[in-house]
């Protein structure tokens, strides 16, 4: 039996190079010359004589281009779905598979930061809107030149604003008209640390000439206790008197009254204090036991006001005030307050509602002042009282007053003005 000659792979009739190993059908023997003058040779039918179907590309045949009917991809054993070969890889179903935790964590973190930013900005503007900018330092006359660093004048007044008659009786504040200073401190911040300097309200100083706010009358310079300046001309005359006697330029002013002080302490849940001895004072209403305890707003106000039980009266009271303010600042800045919105917002609200500041004071300035006070509490600074020359100076019309040491106080004010390290004791 004759065999098909081998077909080259480049034979156009067999573009896929097949056919070399199969027997040639009988009806196709002889080649082209055997059919001269007759009909063209016909290929056998599939399955006839054991022959394969028409080669690809021949009449009645087709190319196996992968898209023939019935061919299924991804199933079966062989390539393209033919049995017997390795299985094709399957696609992962949509929405399935392992979650992308890195992406989820990133999105969650960004969302959290966005919420924190919105809350922080909203809180800032809310708090800033509550500041009572009622003091115009631009009205202060003959101001000294500005020195190095920043000077805050912090005043506690005996204002009864917001107190009912029952509150006044309970807090032992009395019902005196007007306002007087109950405590005064200069807080200096700069490159050489922070200094909290207390000024006795009974300091005997020169009150410079001023024009009365209500009468418009011009008053000449005179010598009186420091708190007289506040009583005569309010915060502006007090600032001018302190600047005149110290040479320091006051950059910002902050004042809180009795009612605001009590509310601030109560919103914090009280202030923890340790007392060396029991305190009982009829005028302030203080009735405190010795030892460590939590003082509420009423008890705290009585503690910082009492002086009759102190050996040096007003000077001893100032030491108690400094000690209390340090503890107050420390607790207000603690994580348990700052990170707890149920405590933080009442503290901010109660503190700012009654806090009077100068019209140039921004919330950022107030925050800087507060953190500086906290820094002094942590030992990053110096607490002191203006050097005293005579704590019991007899005067003609003002009773017993406090006279500053002229040499040491002058040296201290010069160091603060130049923002030098304070060496005066």
């Amino acid at each position: 039996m004759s065999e098909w000659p081998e077909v080259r792979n480049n034979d156009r009739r067999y573009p896929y190079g097949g056919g070399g190993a199969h027997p040639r059908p009988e009806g196709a023997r002889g080649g082209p010359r055997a059919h001269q003058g007759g009909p063209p040779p016909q290929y056998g039918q599939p399955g006839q004589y054991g022959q394969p179907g028409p080669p690809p590309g021949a009449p009645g045949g087709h190319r196996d281009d992968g898209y023939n009917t019935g061919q299924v991809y991804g199933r079966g054993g062989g390539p393209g779905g033919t049995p017997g070969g390795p299985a094709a890889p399957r696609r992962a179903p949509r929405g399935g598979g392992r979650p992308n935790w890195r992406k989820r964590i990133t999105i969650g973190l960004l969302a959290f930061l966005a919420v924190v930013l919105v809350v922080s900005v909203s809180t800032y503007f809310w708090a800033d809107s509550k500041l009572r900018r009622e003091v115009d330092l631009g009205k202060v006359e003959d101001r000294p030149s500005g020195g190095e660093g920043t000077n805050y004048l912090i005043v506690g007044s005996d204002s009864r604003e917001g107190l009912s008659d029952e509150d006044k009786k309970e807090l032992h504040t009395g019902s005196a008209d007007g306002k007087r200073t109950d405590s005064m401190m200069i807080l200096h911040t700069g490159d050489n640390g922070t200094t909290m300097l207390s000024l006795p309200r009974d300091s005997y100083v020169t009150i410079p000439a001023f024009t009365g706010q209500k009468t418009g009358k011009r008053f000449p310079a005179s010598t009186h206790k420091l708190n007289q300046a506040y009583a005569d001309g309010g915060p502006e005359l007090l600032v001018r008197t302190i600047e005149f006697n110290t040479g320091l330029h006051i950059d910002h002013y902050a004042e809180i009254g009795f009612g605001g002080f009590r509310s601030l302490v109560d919103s914090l849940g009280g202030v923890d204090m340790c007392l060396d001895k029991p305190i009982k004072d009829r005028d302030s209403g203080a009735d405190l036991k010795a030892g460590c305890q939590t003082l509420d707003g009423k008890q705290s106000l009585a503690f910082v006001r009492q002086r009759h039980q102190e050996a040096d009266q007003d000077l001893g009271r100032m030491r108690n005030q400094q000690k209390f303010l340090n503890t107050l600042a420390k607790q207000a800045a603690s994580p348990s307050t700052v990170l707890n919105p149920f405590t933080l917002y009442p503290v901010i609200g109660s503190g700012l509602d009654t806090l009077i500041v100068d019209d140039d004071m921004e919330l950022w300035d107030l925050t800087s002042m507060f953190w500086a006070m906290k820094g002094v509490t942590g030992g990053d600074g110096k607490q002191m009282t203006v050097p005293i020359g005579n704590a019991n100076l007899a005067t003609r019309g003002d009773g017993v007053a406090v006279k500053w040491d002229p040499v040491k106080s002058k040296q201290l004010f010069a160091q603060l003005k130049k923002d030098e390290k304070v060496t005066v004791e």
Side-chain angles (χ1 to χ4, degrees):
M1 180 180 294
S2 299
E3 299 294 331
W4 282 94
E6 281 197 8
V7 181
R8 295 178 180 271
N9 288 343
N10 59 358
D11 192 327
R12 295 179 180 178
R13 294 177 300 164
Y14 305 100
Y16 294 94
H22 297 281
R24 188 176 183 180
E26 289 292 331
R29 291 178 183 175
R33 287 186 296 178
H35 300 282
Q36 290 181 0
Q42 300 295 322
Y43 292 97
Q45 299 301 318
Q48 186 178 2
Y49 308 110
Q51 299 175 12
H62 64 276
R63 289 181 182 271
D64 186 6
D65 54 7
Y67 292 92
N68 53 314
T69 306
Q71 184 168 346
V72 180
Y73 289 86
R75 296 185 180 180
T82 59
R90 294 190 178 187
R91 289 184 180 179
R94 287 187 177 181
R98 298 176 63 184
N100 189 337
W101 287 109
R102 178 179 295 180
K103 183 177 181 180
R104 292 186 180 185
I105 292 174
T106 301
I107 293 175
L109 181 60
L110 290 176
F112 174 75
L113 293 177
V115 171
V116 171
L117 179 62
V118 171
V119 172
S120 299
V121 172
S122 300
T123 300
Y124 181 90
F125 284 105
W126 167 74
D128 187 73
S129 67
K130 296 179 74 66
L131 286 177
R132 297 174 56 182
R133 298 180 174 92
E134 300 177 6
V135 178
D136 185 2
L137 295 182
K139 295 181 179 179
V140 179
E141 303 176 42
D142 302 327
R143 307 198 67 185
S145 60
E148 301 294 329
T150 303
N151 296 311
Y152 300 88
L153 179 58
I154 304 172
V155 176
S157 74
D158 65 357
S159 170
R160 281 85 171 167
E161 180 182 358
L163 297 179
S164 64
D165 291 339
E166 184 178 349
D167 290 333
K168 295 175 184 177
K169 182 178 180 180
E170 180 185 9
L171 298 176
H172 296 260
T173 64
S175 301
D177 294 330
K179 295 193 299 183
R180 284 161 294 278
T181 53
D182 204 60
S183 61
M184 288 164 284
M185 299 179 186
I186 295 177
L187 181 70
H188 174 85
T189 63
D191 294 335
N192 282 293
T194 302
T195 300
M196 182 181 287
L197 177 66
S198 291
L199 304 175
R201 65 178 185 175
D202 290 340
S203 299
Y204 205 56
V205 296
T206 298
I207 300 178
F210 68 97
T211 301
Q213 294 179 334
K214 296 181 179 180
T215 63
K217 180 181 177 181
R218 189 69 178 176
F219 293 90
S222 58
T223 304
H224 291 287
K225 292 181 179 179
L226 182 57
N227 62 355
Q228 185 66 42
Y230 186 94
D232 289 343
E236 289 83 5
L237 183 56
L238 176 63
V239 169
R240 187 183 178 203
T241 301
I242 290 176
E243 290 185 340
F244 182 86
N245 288 272
T246 65
L248 298 174
H249 181 92
I250 300 301
D251 298 287
H252 292 293
Y253 177 93
E255 173 191 329
I256 191 168
F258 286 163
F261 183 87
R262 180 187 64 173
S263 298
L264 178 60
V265 173
D266 285 339
S267 65
L268 271 173
V271 173
D272 299 327
M273 294 293 296
C274 293
L275 306 180
D276 298 331
K277 57 185 179 181
I279 296 176
K280 192 173 182 65
D281 181 65
R282 184 181 62 182
D283 291 343
S284 66
D287 188 4
L288 306 172
K289 61 183 180 180
C292 296
Q293 56 202 291
T294 300
L295 306 183
D296 61 19
K298 175 185 175 181
Q299 294 170 321
S300 298
L301 183 61
F303 173 71
V304 298
R305 291 182 61 217
Q306 71 84 25
R307 63 172 179 171
H308 297 300
Q309 197 166 320
E310 304 298 324
D312 45 5
Q313 298 284 304
D314 203 42
L315 298 181
R317 181 176 67 167
M318 286 192 302
R319 287 192 299 270
N320 288 337
Q321 291 172 348
Q322 286 186 342
K323 181 180 179 181
F324 184 88
L325 286 178
N326 291 341
T327 306
L328 176 68
K330 184 177 180 180
Q331 288 187 210
S334 67
S336 61
T337 299
V338 176
L339 300 180
N340 184 355
F342 297 102
T343 302
L344 178 63
Y345 284 95
V347 168
I348 294 176
S350 61
L352 298 183
D353 277 340
T354 56
L355 186 67
I356 297 174
V357 298
D358 64 273
D359 52 11
D360 289 329
M361 175 84 86
E362 299 294 338
L363 186 60
W364 177 255
D365 300 313
L366 186 63
T367 304
S368 298
M369 181 189 81
F370 176 78
W371 283 105
M373 292 175 60
K374 180 180 179 297
V376 174
T377 303
D380 184 19
K382 188 180 183 68
Q383 299 180 72
M384 61 184 302
T385 300
V386 64
I388 303 299
N390 186 351
N392 296 289
L393 177 68
T395 66
R396 291 182 179 180
D398 288 32
V400 176
V402 175
K403 182 180 179 181
W404 298 349
D405 185 301
V407 177
K408 290 185 177 180
S409 61
K410 184 177 180 179
Q411 181 184 0
L412 171 64
F413 299 143
Q415 290 176 343
L416 292 176
K417 189 176 182 67
K418 297 176 182 178
D419 191 30
E420 298 175 346
K421 184 177 180 180
V422 173
T423 58
V424 178
E425 296 295 339

